[in-house]
Amino acid sequence: MSLLGIDVGTTGCKAALFSTTGDVLAAAYREYDNRHPQPGWAELDAVEVWEKIRQTLCEVAGRAGADPIRALSVSSLGEAVVPVTADRHILAPSILNFDARGQAYLPALERALDNACLYGINGNTLGNHYGLTKLLWIQEHQPDLYARADKFLLWSSFVAFMLGAEPVVDYSLANRMLLFDLERGDWSAELLDVAGLDREKLPTTAPSGTVIGAVADAVADDLGLPRGVLITAGAHDQCANAVGCGVIAAGRAVYGMGTFICITPVFNARGDPGAMIARGLNTEHHAVPGKYVTFIYNQGGSLVKWFRDTFALAEHQQARAAGRDVYGDLFAEWPDGPSGVMVLPHFTTTGPPDFISDSCGVIAGLHLETPRGAILKGLVEGATFYLKACVDTLPATGIAIDSFRAVGGGSKSDVWVQLSADILGRPFVRPQITEAGALGAAIMAGVGSGTFASYADGVEAMVRLERTFEPDLAQHARYAAWFEHYQQLWPTMQVYVRNLTATQR
């Protein structure tokens, strides 16, 4: 018996088949591009992405062998929705969360619903990156599409629906619409009324891991899947990552090291709204019953990519042609201890607590003898300091982090993970499978199908840990002193960098 996990992201999708002991039996991946039909717009071609998902499923099914697939679940990006008809036809592209459409509706929503009230219901504060404002834009500017769509489905629920399930979305993804009532576990009549949106256009809500149907026979035959595979409600990708690396109890946190560096701590009860709002922190249902998560993040991985493309493009191209990764070579150039280069990581809009958009990056402390390895290390230090500043304020919210689980592409670097442990002063544990979204989805499928009695049983059976990185106390002390200087950088530079950013526009 095996379990199938599907992970749908902004730029690619993966399907992976696992044994019930966590062995990867087969896996497939496909990439796709975002579309930008107008300046400020960003979409996924839902027809194209669905075809790529189908291709991964066909490939995995063809390599499954004699191990029958019992159940599947889907992890996916949040916020974006796909308009569909009741007979499973895709009607239009999916508007992504960083698309500018919907911004115009924020002032009216702010007047009708202050952040304290919204947070009390939904656990989020107002922003254009949620699904609510995108639906309002469709309702006004594409009324025919709004009328024709029987449902607007978030991506996990869309994939499950296309496979044959009922139109059902899990709690964590429903939260990304800004229309969900956290306490009731259902769409909020008050928020829908304020928005002027129709409840029947949205899917039913259910906890992650709930059985919501089975793969339709015709779809199973087309994809090469066995008939009768159960489909369970999936989760927001960050929640699936947490399950896939064993972060299911309070006190632990995911440290996702991808394009975004995203810390996802788990906690047992909702914190004080004032303390959470002041720190720019949301509250979302975990995939695990009775648990919540929040997100602390910045685009630290993008800074590393920027360095690669700016300072080592030729080496990157040569390494790629040779079938290897250039990052190992670049990280090997890091100096010991603090880099001596101080970086304000505001190269793009920041994450919590302030979501600053009118800033720019600063690299200070450069000398003629500064090597490029010190600049790269300074970039990573700055991004990590940014996160430390947020983590250090968590006690007031009641959220505790005792240890981190490192996942994502950056977690493959021993030196990067060790640096993170040294700065944050907590152990980092790296699982054997660092791309944890599909594994988390498979565990959800196992829990929903009764293969596992609980998430704890599923994690114990399927998640394997590779290595623990303990913080070097001497380096931690050095970084604590360096962090004090970092905290002075933005207050000192903010007028200058804001003026510079305004001048460059």
Side-chain angles (χ1 to χ4, degrees), residues 457-473:
D457 287 347
V459 166
E460 183 177 1
M462 297 186 71
V463 177
R464 301 170 187 169
L465 305 180
E466 179 201 82
R467 178 178 170 184
T468 298
F469 296 79
E470 294 288 347
D472 182 313
L473 297 182

Side-chain angles (χ1 to χ4, degrees), residues 84 388 480:
V84 297
K388 174 177 168 55

Side-chain angles (χ1 to χ4, degrees), residues 303-365:
L303 300 190
V304 175
K305 182 179 182 293
W306 170 81
F307 175 90
R308 182 199 71 187
D309 294 343
T310 303
F311 294 96
L313 182 59
E315 290 155 275
H316 166 56
Q317 292 171 340
Q318 291 166 5
R320 185 169 58 182
R324 62 183 186 84
D325 188 346
V326 75
Y327 286 120
D329 298 335
L330 298 177
F331 291 142
E333 297 179 13
W334 280 11
D336 294 332
S339 65
V341 176
M342 184 64 70
V343 173
L344 181 70
H346 292 191
F347 285 53
T348 185
T349 301
T350 70
D354 297 319
F355 306 96
I356 300 165
S357 59
D358 57 340
S359 183
C360 60
V362 173
I363 303 177

Side-chain angles (χ1 to χ4, degrees), residues 343-501:
V343 173
L344 181 70
H346 292 191
F347 285 53
T348 185
T349 301
T350 70
D354 297 319
F355 306 96
I356 300 165
S357 59
D358 57 340
S359 183
C360 60
V362 173
I363 303 177
L366 297 176
H367 301 278
L368 289 177
E369 62 270 21
T370 301
R372 69 173 185 176
I375 297 174
L376 174 57
K377 191 171 189 180
L379 290 168
V380 176
E381 289 168 345
T384 312
F385 283 152
Y386 183 98
L387 298 171
K388 174 177 168 55
C390 299
V391 170
D392 286 352
T393 70
L394 287 180
T397 68
I399 299 172
I401 300 177
D402 303 320
S403 64
F404 294 93
R405 295 278 170 93
V407 299
S411 68
K412 298 173 184 177
S413 168
D414 291 356
V415 293
W416 190 349
V417 177
Q418 185 63 57
L419 174 70
S420 304
D422 292 345
I423 291 177
L424 291 164
R426 292 169 176 83
F428 273 62
V429 181
R430 184 169 62 198
Q432 288 186 7
I433 296 177
T434 57
E435 302 295 337
L439 177 56
I443 293 172
M444 286 185 276
V447 172
S449 64
T451 305
F452 304 121
S454 66
Y455 280 91
D457 287 347
V459 166
E460 183 177 1
M462 297 186 71
V463 177
R464 301 170 187 169
L465 305 180
E466 179 201 82
R467 178 178 170 184
T468 298
F469 296 79
E470 294 288 347
D472 182 313
L473 297 182
Q475 294 285 21
H476 179 63
R478 296 178 70 187
Y479 274 119
W482 197 236
F483 177 65
E484 294 300 319
H485 297 302
Y486 166 83
Q487 289 187 296
Q488 298 169 25
L489 187 57
W490 173 235
T492 301
M493 298 292 294
Q494 61 179 312
V495 173
Y496 170 76
V497 298
R498 280 176 164 158
N499 288 341
L500 180 61
T501 299

